[in-house]
Amino acid sequence: MKNTIYHKAVQELTEKLQAVPYETLSISSYNKSYIKGMIPAIGYFLKIYATCLQQGIAGSGKSPRELTMIDFGGGSGFLSMLAKSIGIGHVIYVDLNPLSVQAAFRLKEYTGTGADLFLEGSTEQLADWCRDTQSKPDLLIATDLIEHVYDLKRFFSGLVSINPALTMYFTTASTPYNPYVKRKLRKIMDSCETGSALSPNYFTKRYEYIRTQFPSLNEGELNEWAHCTRGLTFGDINNVIQSDLKPVPSDPWNTCDPENGNWTERILPIQKYRDYLKPYAYDVIVSKGFYNEQRDSLVKWAVCKCLNSLIALTGKMGLLAAPFIIISCLPQGSSCKSDNPHST
């Protein structure tokens, strides 16, 4: 499959999605707002999706029609739509949010393009479906999701159980390389802890939970436990306090909502992903992302163009400037290789 096919598919789907009357579509206000934020740069997002699809198809050793792909955490379903546009044989859309599942389904109805199957749930529901249907998908792509997953060990275990040869591609702006991005995301994390971003903040949620569940603790003990359990859900907080073993957060910034475990743009060293996937004999390769060159200002276009050239030409050093990364998780011994010459 040639690059021109991806380019044409991106252009055609961009025009189609920009023409959809989202305000009158029977989807939730949440999804309307989410899509409204994406549409001005939809061509950029589709280009990111196309990059993952190109890598996945090229490394699969199969034609697109032979592939079964999982669009995990599919949101509004734009990745599924592009996958079908370039000829992926079977696309499974999975999302935990019922409003997003509804939106993706409605968009398929309106545009005539979208996933072949819509599943509401997470890895457990996907694994159940694959087991019941004896299906072994070849490829999984998830965008802006992996940085929010609470338990990556369990997450990867669930995905590999579906197919030990499943190739997985994750895009994330929570890059451990770009110092500007790290500083920006850590400010967001701090605001979730201190309360400037939301109320009640995560520290307050932990403090109140501990105070209610363990009324015998004094004020000093309450504060100490609320601090050291940053990054844990209520259930895990309960377990560590009952065991009287104070955890030590592995990172000074990473934090999650203790109610649901949703991490706030968690930044992890790439070695962590390698450690999680090592028991399953997977290699982890990192590819550099790129900036959106579709700008309404000639100056902004020139800056982004120059940055993308710099990223492409500077090898591993380009990771310091890349706005996002693609984490490719590939079974060892497979034919899957990143076609990005500056992957690490």
Side-chain angles (χ1 to χ4, degrees), residues 16-327:
K16 183 179 290 188
L17 290 173
Q18 288 176 334
V20 174
Y22 296 100
E23 288 302 322
T24 60
L25 212 60
S26 59
I27 60 176
S28 71
S29 57
Y30 163 82
N31 286 96
K32 287 178 182 179
S33 176
Y34 182 80
I35 292 171
K36 184 179 180 180
M38 288 188 70
I39 288 301
I42 191 62
Y44 173 60
F45 292 116
L46 291 178
K47 186 178 178 182
I48 293 172
Y49 304 160
T51 301
C52 295
L53 286 164
Q54 187 171 13
Q55 290 188 19
I57 293 171
S60 69
K62 296 182 178 181
S63 70
R65 289 290 175 192
E66 296 175 297
L67 291 173
T68 295
M69 189 199 98
I70 302 165
D71 177 5
F72 198 89
S76 300
F78 296 152
L79 170 58
S80 292
M81 297 169 82
L82 183 62
K84 293 303 294 184
S85 297
I86 63 172
I88 296 289
H90 194 75
V91 176
I92 304 168
Y93 166 103
V94 185
D95 201 288
L96 191 60
N97 187 338
L99 297 178
S100 294
V101 178
Q102 180 195 50
F105 186 77
R106 293 284 180 246
L107 279 168
K108 179 184 178 179
E109 284 186 324
Y110 186 88
T111 63
T113 307
D116 300 286
L117 174 71
F118 294 85
L119 290 178
E120 180 186 327
S122 189
T123 49
E124 292 82 2
Q125 289 71 31
L126 175 61
D128 287 345
W129 182 86
C130 290
R131 183 183 62 251
D132 293 343
T133 59
Q134 297 186 332
S135 176
K136 285 192 173 183
D138 310 280
L139 171 65
L140 178 145
I141 298 175
T143 60
D144 298 322
L145 173 131
I146 201 165
E147 64 270 27
H148 301 296
V149 175
Y150 179 64
D151 188 342
L152 279 176
K153 183 177 181 180
R154 181 179 178 183
F155 176 70
F156 285 127
S157 174
L159 292 179
V160 174
S161 72
I162 293 168
N163 180 5
L166 179 69
T167 59
M168 300 175 281
Y169 295 83
F170 302 94
T171 71
T172 176
S174 293
T175 167
Y177 302 105
N178 187 316
Y180 171 77
V181 170
K182 287 195 293 184
R183 184 166 59 251
K184 180 177 69 174
L185 295 183
R186 284 168 175 169
K187 285 182 179 179
I188 296 173
M189 296 174 196
D190 283 341
S191 67
C192 289
E193 281 290 304
T194 62
S196 58
L198 72 169
S199 181
N201 61 58
Y202 295 165
F203 175 84
T204 300
K205 284 185 177 183
R206 296 193 303 272
Y207 179 93
E208 291 300 326
Y209 174 82
I210 296 168
R211 185 179 64 83
T212 301
Q213 297 296 315
F214 300 91
S216 63
L217 296 176
N218 61 41
E219 185 67 20
E221 291 171 327
L222 283 171
N223 274 288
E224 188 175 359
W225 277 111
H227 277 291
C228 74
T229 54
R230 175 174 49 82
L232 297 182
T233 58
F234 288 150
D236 285 338
I237 290 172
N238 187 75
N239 292 336
V240 296
I241 295 179
Q242 286 187 338
S243 68
D244 198 30
L245 294 173
K246 289 186 173 64
V248 178
S250 58
D251 179 274
W253 294 277
N254 288 330
T255 186
C256 73
D257 187 336
E259 289 188 66
N260 53 37
N262 185 46
W263 289 95
T264 301
E265 311 295 342
R266 179 165 65 158
I267 302 172
L268 285 179
I270 298 303
Q271 186 58 45
K272 282 288 187 181
Y273 296 102
R274 294 188 170 117
D275 291 342
Y276 285 128
L277 284 161
K278 185 177 180 180
Y280 310 108
Y282 267 71
D283 290 324
V284 174
I285 299 172
V286 181
S287 302
K288 298 173 291 187
F290 45 85
Y291 289 89
N292 181 13
E293 295 179 9
Q294 297 175 341
R295 302 288 182 168
D296 54 7
S297 160
L298 183 60
V299 173
K300 291 180 180 179
W301 171 83
V303 170
C304 292
K305 187 78 173 177
C306 289
L307 283 171
N308 285 339
S309 297
L310 178 69
I311 291 167
L313 295 171
T314 52
K316 293 182 180 180
M317 291 297 293
L319 288 166
L320 296 173
F324 69 92
I325 55 175
I326 301 174
I327 302 173

